């Protein structure tokens, strides 16, 4: 009787221990989800709210003082030798006795105060006179062709159209407010429909350039890829970006986030260089390229695990992994400055060995749960083990960045657009917006002014990249 009772209590105790362990794990997962921010997850900084995480950087202390460094060029406003106009100022009366100084002799050189300002913005109307000339030989009457932008008896010119597209796409200003800006600043009275048409016309003009940018990225040695969600006509759509330090291309369609949409984008399927991206599994379907994983994602994931997983926190492997990747990042910067294109063998071997040790510690600390769903900690450890070469590629090839920051910066704007306007009304409008946005991002990366480059495009001379990057 007593033995049976002891066996029952032991079984109950075992069951309670199991339930306690499961509840602890569930509690840790809930705390992790509630505590997610841009420092310990892939959540964007804009979603941190008032409790923003303090900024953290992989860079170590340089020892330099904050602010402008000695010898660095300044940006202070300087006087120019030939101002647009000169306005003389003469004193009216003597500061000593009060006598009238009209007609008095000038003494010495004047003190110069130069004021830099924008002239009054007003519409300039240009009349293009299309003359007709009679041929002396056959008598045929030939009228001059109108400029490409003079499509009607009275139209707004390419600078107004370029400005409307620039304000809409680069600064996410709704079309109604753009109409207000043009009216208040320049006296230009246009409708919201006119502005939408100007954006569509700009996208059509830039269509060949968009194709050329995509071709140039496809031919690059290293490219960055990312994706994010936005809304079109009230429904979720996935937006994709492909980028290099000098090029940006976007794609959006109704196919969603996965392989079908990436294929429709048309860049990664023919890309043969190194593709930097996050661990999203659809990227692995494209095997013509070499893959590299974003270590910023891994650092944030490991930080979150170290904070909210009791086992990982007790073992310390997650924090050690963050420190190790930080070491690797700094080593790469130091050896690149010495003229190397990869870490020396002894340094890379040390990084690799320490990496393997931490992964084995993680796997031992987080054993498998059978065939069911694994813990975030074990999933990360398995990914690090199985995709080690992709994680450490930045150390084996210095042309590969430590993180996917290039693509993440280029796609961050979609969050701003979604917040300002709630997304896009139509898929066609979204595609037009992204075509222009890719062009603006690209010309800015190449040191050009966005508004002027849009104007040049309307005149038939858009900036176009070379086929290789």
């Amino acid at each position: 009787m007593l033995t049976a009772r002891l066996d029952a209590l032991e079984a109950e105790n075992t069951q309670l221990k199991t339930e306690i362990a499961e509840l602890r794990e569930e509690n840790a997962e809930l705390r992790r989800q509630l505590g997610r921010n841009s420092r310990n997850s892939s959540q964007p900084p804009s979603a941190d709210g008032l409790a923003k995480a303090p900024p953290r950087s992989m860079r170590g202390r340089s020892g330099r003082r904050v602010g402008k460094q000695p010898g660095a060029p300044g940006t202070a406003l300087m006087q120019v030798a030939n101002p647009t106009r000169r306005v003389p100022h003469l004193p009216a009366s003597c500061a000593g006795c009060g006598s009238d100084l009209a007609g008095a002799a000038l003494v010495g050189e004047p003190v110069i105060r130069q004021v830099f300002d924008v002239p009054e913005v007003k519409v300039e109307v240009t009349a293009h006179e299309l003359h007709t000339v009679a041929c002396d030989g056959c008598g045929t009457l030939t009228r001059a062709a109108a400029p490409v932008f003079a499509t009607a008896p009275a139209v707004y010119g390419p600078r107004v159209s370029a400005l409307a597209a620039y304000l809409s796409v680069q600064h996410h200003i709704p079309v109604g407010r753009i109409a207000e800006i043009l009216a208040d600043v320049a006296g230009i009275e246009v409708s919201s429909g006119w502005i939408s048409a100007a954006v569509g016309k700009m996208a059509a003009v830039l269509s060949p350039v968009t194709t050329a940018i995509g071709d140039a990225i496809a031919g690059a040695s290293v490219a960055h890829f990312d994706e994010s969600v936005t809304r079109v006509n009230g429904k979720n759509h996935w937006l994709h970006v492909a980028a290099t330090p000098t090029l940006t291309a976007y794609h959006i369609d109704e196919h969603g986030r996965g392989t079908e949409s990436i294929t429709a984008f048309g860049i990664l399927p023919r890309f043969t260089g190194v593709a930097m991206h996050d661990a999203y599994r659809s990227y692995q379907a494209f095997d013509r390229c070499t893959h590299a994983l974003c270590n910023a994602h891994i650092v944030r994931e490991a930080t979150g695990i170290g904070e909210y997983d009791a086992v990982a926190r007790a073992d310390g492997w997650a924090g050690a992994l963050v420190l190790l990747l930080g070491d690797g990042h700094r080593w790469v910067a130091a050896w690149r400055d010495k003229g190397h294109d990869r870490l020396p063998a002894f340094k890379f071997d040390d990084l690799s060995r320490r990496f393997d040790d931490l992964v084995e510690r993680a796997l031992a600390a987080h054993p498998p749960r059978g065939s069911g769903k694994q813990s975030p900690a074990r999933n990360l450890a398995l990914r690090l083990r199985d995709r080690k070469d992709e994680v450490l590629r930045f150390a084996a090839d210095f042309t590969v960045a430590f993180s996917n920051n290039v693509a993440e910066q280029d796609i961050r704007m979609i969050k701003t657009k979604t917040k300002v306007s709630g997304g896009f009304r139509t898929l066609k409008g979204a595609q037009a917006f992204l075509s222009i946005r890719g062009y603006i991002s690209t010309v800015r990366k190449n040191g050009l002014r966005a508004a002027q480059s849009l104007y040049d495009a309307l005149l038939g001379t858009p900036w176009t990249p070379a086929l290789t990057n």
Side-chain angles (χ1 to χ4, degrees), residues 413-446:
M413 44 70 59
I414 199 61
K415 297 301 182 185
T416 302
K417 173 65 177 177
T418 303
K419 286 185 175 181
V420 171
S421 302
F424 301 92
R425 292 185 179 181
T426 67
L427 182 57
K428 183 178 179 180
Q431 291 167 340
F433 179 96
L434 295 170
S435 176
I436 300 171
R437 183 74 191 202
Y439 178 73
I440 289 177
S441 175
T442 297
V443 296
R444 286 171 62 86
K445 286 179 178 181
N446 285 273

Side-chain angles (χ1 to χ4, degrees), residues 37-237:
N37 54 50
S38 59
R39 182 177 59 83
N40 59 23
S41 73
S42 295
Q43 179 173 287
S46 59
D48 286 348
L50 296 177
K52 290 185 179 292
R56 296 182 65 182
S57 173
M58 297 298 300
R59 295 179 296 176
R61 294 184 178 274
S62 65
R64 297 182 298 181
R65 296 175 59 186
V66 176
K68 180 179 176 296
Q69 301 302 309
T75 57
L77 191 61
M78 306 295 291
Q79 291 190 347
V80 298
N82 299 302
T84 306
R85 60 189 179 118
R86 299 175 184 271
V87 180
H89 296 268
L90 302 175
S93 59
C94 176
C97 65
S99 299
D100 186 1
L101 294 180
L106 300 177
V107 180
E109 294 295 324
V111 175
I112 304 298
R113 296 286 187 269
Q114 291 188 350
V115 177
F116 292 68
D117 204 349
V118 176
E120 179 186 0
V121 179
K122 56 184 179 180
V123 177
E124 179 183 83
V125 180
T126 301
H128 294 274
E129 301 175 344
L130 312 180
H131 290 280
T132 300
V133 178
C135 177
D136 292 335
C138 67
T140 300
L141 300 180
T142 304
R143 188 175 69 183
V148 293
F149 48 80
T151 56
V155 295
Y156 284 112
R159 285 206 183 276
V160 180
S161 296
L163 179 59
Y166 172 73
L167 293 175
S168 173
V169 175
Q170 179 64 11
H171 296 287
H172 317 289
I173 302 177
V175 292
R177 288 174 55 196
I178 294 174
E180 291 179 7
I181 291 171
L182 295 177
D184 292 343
V185 174
I188 297 172
E189 300 287 348
V190 296
S191 66
S192 297
W194 183 91
I195 295 170
S196 296
V199 172
K201 179 180 178 182
M202 180 65 74
V205 168
L206 292 176
S207 180
V209 185
T210 300
T211 300
I213 291 173
D215 291 341
I217 296 174
S221 58
V222 180
H224 298 249
F225 299 86
D226 202 4
E227 71 290 327
S228 185
V229 70
T230 187
R231 296 183 72 80
V232 177
N233 193 25
K235 297 180 180 179
N236 284 347
H237 279 59

